Amino acid sequence: MISIGDNILSNPVGDALKRQKEYAKALGHIDMIVFSPKAHNLEEKHYENLSIYPTKSKNMLTFVYDVVKIARNIFKTKKIDIITTQDPFGTALAGYILKK
């Protein structure tokens, strides 16, 4: 899963984290890559069925490259069945590149 908001790592308010954990449990596991500016200095978080990876991007222009780099590392150890993206722009471009 490719997302543009790092609130799930920095300030998980509301039910977003709970909802993602429930989705992950239903699917077996979800790896979520989220846009996160380098200045936020966020670290990966791993739960029972959910792993969240911040991109630590310099800016939105490097976001796609950062997503692809993180995803390729995930691909080395896991078989990925589905790639989902949050929007039809940067996350979709990253998803398209990973599909190819």
Side-chain angles (χ1 to χ4, degrees):
M1 178 182 294
I2 306 168
S3 179
I4 56 172
D6 67 1
N7 285 343
I8 199 162
L9 284 171
S10 63
N11 188 24
V13 177
D15 69 342
L17 180 58
K18 180 181 175 187
R19 188 174 60 250
Q20 294 303 328
K21 286 180 178 180
E22 289 174 6
Y23 295 153
K25 185 177 180 182
L27 295 171
H29 190 85
I30 290 178
D31 291 289
M32 176 186 281
I33 303 171
V34 298
F35 169 71
S36 180
K38 191 173 186 173
H40 288 186
N41 198 31
L42 297 173
E43 297 299 322
E44 297 175 9
K45 290 201 178 174
H46 300 276
Y47 302 96
E48 185 176 349
N49 299 90
L50 176 67
S51 297
I52 307 171
Y53 304 87
T55 58
K56 299 182 183 182
S57 299
K58 292 180 184 175
N59 54 53
M60 279 303 288
L61 296 175
T62 64
F63 169 67
V64 172
Y65 171 80
D66 296 330
V67 167
V68 171
K69 182 173 68 173
I70 292 167
R72 285 188 174 153
N73 284 329
I74 294 169
F75 293 169
K76 289 177 184 177
T77 60
K78 298 178 183 175
K79 180 182 180 295
I80 303 301
D81 297 316
I82 298 171
I83 297 173
T84 64
T85 61
Q86 185 173 352
D87 64 46
F89 306 108
T91 63
L93 177 59
Y96 178 77
I97 291 168
L98 293 172
K99 178 184 181 277
K100 293 297 180 184

